[in-house]
Amino acid sequence: MPGRSSRGSVSTRIVAPETSGRAGDAVDARVEVDDPELGCWVLLGLLLGSSEPRLTSVEVHARPDGAALDPETVRALPLARYLVLATNQLRTSGPRVRTPDAPSSGAADAEDLDRVARTYREALASADARSRLAPTAAVARAFGVDRTAAGRLVARARREGLLHPALPRRPGEVIPGPPPTRDA
């Protein structure tokens, strides 16, 4: 099943990745870690940004077929191991979740590049001056990557013909066509 991974008896499943809009173009994600040996499953909240993943929340739940949680079980949770498993799960099979060290332009498929072009053009047409003047930054926020990686994605979309050539030293694209004529 896509989005699921197992290591020994522990399995992980991505529950909810989403762009957060937080500083640093971070991505919030929720990963469920099922540990039958301890009789529980854990929901980890992760913030993936420009540095190492940061654990933002932990929910511990008793398995439906297991006993109630006791303090010893909760203290015995290998949270560091769960964090590594969850991070690896997001990097390998996250549904379009971009982590900072993911290869940005090399891993982009045709669907991603269509989304890059659409995001770039939507930002250019936006009423929000911040988006309109920095469409590459809008791509960075949408993909959860840094500005440099977003620039590579935009350049690749241009090479694939999804965006027109860039305007010199400013955001936008040169729209080809006949030059405007004067009506005499």
Side-chain angles (χ1 to χ4, degrees), residues 27-103:
V27 174
D28 275 326
R30 302 283 178 264
V31 178
E32 182 182 294
V33 180
D34 187 9
D35 194 341
E37 288 178 13
L38 291 178
C40 64
W41 61 273
V42 179
L43 184 63
L44 300 176
L46 299 167
L47 186 62
L48 304 167
S50 59
S51 61
E52 286 299 308
R54 198 174 61 155
L55 188 62
T56 58
S57 64
V58 177
E59 293 179 27
V60 181
H61 301 266
R63 289 176 54 100
D65 57 346
L69 294 171
D70 60 15
E72 285 76 35
T73 301
V74 174
R75 278 193 293 273
L77 292 174
L79 289 179
R81 178 176 175 225
Y82 292 168
L83 180 60
V84 168
L85 290 171
T87 302
N88 289 339
Q89 177 71 19
L90 286 168
R91 287 183 177 146
T92 59
S93 61
R96 306 287 182 248
V97 172
R98 302 288 185 214
T99 56
D101 56 354

Side-chain angles (χ1 to χ4, degrees), residues 109-132:
D109 57 20
E111 183 181 311
D112 288 332
L113 292 177
D114 285 339
R115 194 171 137 224
V116 166
R118 188 172 50 255
T119 302
Y120 188 90
R121 286 194 175 123
E122 286 171 0
L124 282 175
S126 174
D128 176 34
R130 177 179 170 220
S131 293
R132 189 174 58 252

Side-chain angles (χ1 to χ4, degrees), residues 152-171:
R152 288 188 200 111
L153 286 168
V154 169
R156 183 155 172 222
R158 287 189 198 286
R159 281 193 309 274
E160 297 289 326
L162 299 170
L163 289 170
H164 294 295
L167 292 171
R169 294 175 297 286
R170 63 177 197 239

Side-chain angles (χ1 to χ4, degrees), residues 132-146:
R132 189 174 58 252
L133 296 174
T136 303
V139 170
R141 284 189 299 277
F143 279 77
V145 296
D146 62 28

